[in-house]
Amino acid sequence: MSVQGRRPVCRMCIFKVSRVDAAWAVLVLVLLTPLAVVSEDEESLPKFIENVPNITVTVGRDALLPCTVEQLKGFKVAWVQVDTQTILTIHKQVITRNPRIALLHNDHRTWHLELKNVREKDRGWYMCQVNTDPMRYRQGYVDVVVPPDIIDRESSGDLTIREGQDVTLTCRAKGHPNPSIVWRREDNQDIVLDTDKTGNAHFINDTSTMVPVIDGTDVGAVGGAAGGRDGGVVGGAERVVEGESLHMRKVSRLQMGSYLCIASNGIPPSISKRTQLRVQFPPVAWVPQQLEGAYLGQELTIECHTEAFPKSINYWTNTNGDMIVSDDRYEPIVAESSYKVYMKLRIRRVEPQDIGTFRCIAKNSLGETDGAIRVYERKKYENYLHPKGINDLTDQHRHTKTHDSKESGHRSNTHHGRRPTYGSSLGHDSAPCCHASAASVASLTLAALLAHWAARSLATPQL
């Protein structure tokens, strides 16, 4: 055959094939050739001092798999990752290109495999083997545990819903072993799962005020939560709820707050994710005292409670319906807590134009409401606890008699300066007197009736 007819030869290809073939040939010779000592008796063959242990290591830590062999003589020791059938080391050489794999050995007995910065893919069986015929080996399992981690893209973020709707919060987590998930409220109150089972929250409208009511009980605008320490309701509420999903029916404003999803699998640290639940509702108002009496010129403070979400605009109006701003006579005071607002109006000096109806107003994007407080004028001489009546007239008559007695030169036992006595308190000197006078009048009246009846009986002619 001529030179022109020959096929071109790739020298680089021959080189590559030759290197691969040579590597496999060396590997086979090392692993399978017993170096002419296979004919020795059983007692002279290599022996494992102990089994390769099963170990558990946290991801990111280092792991060490010990392997101790006696009477190795001319045999070779190799480490193999069983699951992937990967040869890691042969005798004193590290075969794998994984830089996290190292071999620790000395005195021809110890052949320890070191795994640095362990990853999840390192989980599995590892074999320490000696190239006897038949092959001798020991193997151990490496379990790589992973602390829990919450998968944000598969978990609920902050939510805003309307009052009365259902809501489901979801939390997904990964880790090894599989994490367990529990839900808690950040404020440590009970989680109300079903409003129907804890008391159906609704509102009654009483002219100018709307009062929140649960099962017929007025909880007011500052009432406690339905469930837990404040509300005292236990049915349909749990302190801790297990599972990836938290489902709540007919959510009310009392369930507004931060919820914690806590994932744990026994591998520290546990992890949590906060989800803020916001419940929207139109404003409501509650007035503790709807009628206030005041003297002209005195200082008076009226108050009002409101609830709303989104946050409301709150202000007072005077008897003419005009908005009240802070000045030398009026001082509006507002204290906010979550969705609750406590409003006070301090009137430093009551004047005639303040006699009438003041209103506390609350507005947000969902509506508005108001609470009315009527201020009436009290006269200077009025005692709102003890209105003027027969006791006042009696006391006035006693003072008149005392004055007349003094003028005529007669002495009197009436005490001067004593405040009028109301009721029958035994702590006042006049009480026994009053009781005695009443008894005397009753006795005299009865005696007069008996005498009149006897006279009529005698005057009646006998038939």
Side-chain angles (χ1 to χ4, degrees), residues 220-449:
V222 291
R229 294 168 292 184
D230 295 336
V233 183
V234 295
E238 300 287 345
R239 184 59 56 90
V240 177
V241 177
E242 299 180 357
E244 292 184 344
S245 298
L246 174 62
H247 184 68
M248 293 178 285
R249 296 185 64 251
K250 298 182 180 179
V251 174
S252 75
R253 67 199 65 177
L254 301 177
Q255 291 156 274
M256 188 186 309
S258 296
Y259 292 78
L260 296 178
C261 153
I262 304 171
S264 58
N265 63 354
I267 311 301
S270 298
I271 192 170
S272 65
K273 175 181 172 64
R274 178 186 292 104
T275 298
Q276 184 75 23
L277 179 63
R278 301 181 179 91
V279 182
Q280 293 184 335
F281 58 94
V284 294
W286 174 60
V287 176
Q289 188 72 27
Q290 296 181 345
L291 187 63
E292 293 279 2
Y295 303 113
L296 294 180
Q298 83 166 69
E299 181 178 296
L300 176 67
T301 299
I302 56 179
E303 62 181 22
C304 173
H305 301 273
T306 67
E307 296 181 356
F309 192 84
K311 183 180 177 180
S312 59
I313 299 173
N314 296 75
Y315 60 92
W316 290 91
T317 60
N318 59 20
T319 55
N320 296 324
D322 300 326
M323 181 186 297
I324 296 176
V325 295
S326 183
D327 57 18
D328 59 341
R329 283 210 317 118
Y330 298 111
E331 182 186 2
I333 302 171
V334 175
E336 299 181 4
S337 175
S338 181
Y339 57 87
K340 303 174 184 178
V341 177
Y342 174 49
M343 302 174 62
K344 289 201 305 183
L345 177 63
R346 180 176 298 160
I347 307 173
R348 294 189 176 93
R349 185 178 64 260
V350 175
E351 296 185 357
Q353 61 266 32
D354 297 324
I355 304 304
T357 300
F358 288 80
R359 294 185 181 276
C360 57
I361 310 294
K363 297 181 179 181
N364 71 1
S365 59
L366 302 178
E368 66 176 275
T369 190
D370 65 86
I373 302 174
R374 190 170 72 84
V375 177
Y376 67 93
E377 181 183 359
R378 268 219 226 111
K379 300 302 180 182
K380 289 290 186 179
Y381 59 80
E382 284 184 352
N383 188 325
Y384 68 97
L385 290 178
H386 303 291
K388 193 168 184 179
I390 187 64
N391 290 331
D392 300 85
L393 298 176
T394 304
D395 189 72
Q396 184 179 357
H397 177 68
R398 286 176 181 171
H399 281 282
T400 303
K401 285 186 66 178
T402 302
H403 182 71
D404 294 340
S405 299
K406 277 189 171 185
E407 290 182 351
S408 60
H410 296 289
R411 301 179 64 89
S412 173
N413 292 327
T414 305
H415 296 280
H416 298 283
R418 183 182 300 278
R419 297 177 61 187
T421 302
Y422 305 97
S424 58
S425 173
L426 295 179
H428 295 81
D429 296 337
S430 60
C433 174
C434 295
H435 283 295
S437 299
S440 301
V441 171
S443 300
L444 293 174
T445 303
L446 180 60
L449 290 174

Side-chain angles (χ1 to χ4, degrees), residues 54-359:
N54 299 329
I55 63 174
T56 300
V57 59
T58 303
V59 65
R61 302 288 184 88
D62 297 341
L64 186 67
L65 289 169
C67 181
T68 304
V69 183
E70 286 187 343
Q71 300 179 183
L72 186 59
K73 299 180 182 178
F75 292 95
K76 307 295 182 182
V77 176
W79 276 99
V80 178
Q81 188 173 3
V82 178
D83 298 338
T84 61
Q85 298 183 353
T86 302
I87 300 175
L88 305 177
T89 68
I90 296 178
H91 207 53
K92 298 180 181 181
Q93 300 297 321
V94 177
I95 304 301
T96 181
R97 294 183 180 181
N98 188 344
R100 299 182 296 106
I101 302 294
L103 182 67
L104 305 179
H105 66 89
N106 57 22
D107 63 20
H108 212 60
R109 293 179 70 251
T110 57
W111 307 85
H112 299 339
L113 183 68
E114 183 180 24
L115 307 177
K116 300 177 182 179
N117 189 21
V118 172
R119 300 177 184 176
E120 286 193 74
K121 65 180 182 180
D122 297 329
R123 186 183 298 119
W125 290 96
Y126 289 81
M127 177 188 295
C128 176
Q129 63 182 35
V130 180
N131 61 336
T132 56
D133 186 16
M135 179 184 68
R136 295 190 170 192
Y137 66 92
R138 294 290 186 271
Q139 62 182 8
Y141 188 81
V142 175
D143 188 17
V144 181
V145 294
V146 183
D149 188 24
I150 293 177
I151 308 172
D152 286 332
R153 66 179 181 275
E154 299 181 15
S155 302
S156 300
D158 294 346
L159 293 176
T160 301
I161 64 170
R162 290 294 299 269
E163 191 169 43
Q165 292 182 335
D166 297 350
V167 66
T168 299
L169 305 182
T170 303
C171 183
R172 301 267 195 269
K174 61 182 179 179
H176 182 79
N178 291 329
S180 60
I181 294 175
V182 297
W183 291 89
R184 302 179 68 99
R185 282 191 61 150
E186 192 174 39
D187 58 8
N188 209 34
Q189 295 292 319
D190 285 352
I191 297 176
V192 179
L193 300 177
D194 191 342
T195 305
D196 287 342
K197 295 181 180 179
T198 58
N200 189 17
H202 58 281
F203 296 87
I204 60 174
N205 189 359
D206 180 12
T207 63
S208 62
T209 60
M210 295 185 68
V211 183
V213 171
I214 294 181
D215 278 354
T217 303
D218 173 11
V219 299
V222 291
R229 294 168 292 184
D230 295 336
V233 183
V234 295
E238 300 287 345
R239 184 59 56 90
V240 177
V241 177
E242 299 180 357
E244 292 184 344
S245 298
L246 174 62
H247 184 68
M248 293 178 285
R249 296 185 64 251
K250 298 182 180 179
V251 174
S252 75
R253 67 199 65 177
L254 301 177
Q255 291 156 274
M256 188 186 309
S258 296
Y259 292 78
L260 296 178
C261 153
I262 304 171
S264 58
N265 63 354
I267 311 301
S270 298
I271 192 170
S272 65
K273 175 181 172 64
R274 178 186 292 104
T275 298
Q276 184 75 23
L277 179 63
R278 301 181 179 91
V279 182
Q280 293 184 335
F281 58 94
V284 294
W286 174 60
V287 176
Q289 188 72 27
Q290 296 181 345
L291 187 63
E292 293 279 2
Y295 303 113
L296 294 180
Q298 83 166 69
E299 181 178 296
L300 176 67
T301 299
I302 56 179
E303 62 181 22
C304 173
H305 301 273
T306 67
E307 296 181 356
F309 192 84
K311 183 180 177 180
S312 59
I313 299 173
N314 296 75
Y315 60 92
W316 290 91
T317 60
N318 59 20
T319 55
N320 296 324
D322 300 326
M323 181 186 297
I324 296 176
V325 295
S326 183
D327 57 18
D328 59 341
R329 283 210 317 118
Y330 298 111
E331 182 186 2
I333 302 171
V334 175
E336 299 181 4
S337 175
S338 181
Y339 57 87
K340 303 174 184 178
V341 177
Y342 174 49
M343 302 174 62
K344 289 201 305 183
L345 177 63
R346 180 176 298 160
I347 307 173
R348 294 189 176 93
R349 185 178 64 260
V350 175
E351 296 185 357
Q353 61 266 32
D354 297 324
I355 304 304
T357 300
F358 288 80
R359 294 185 181 276

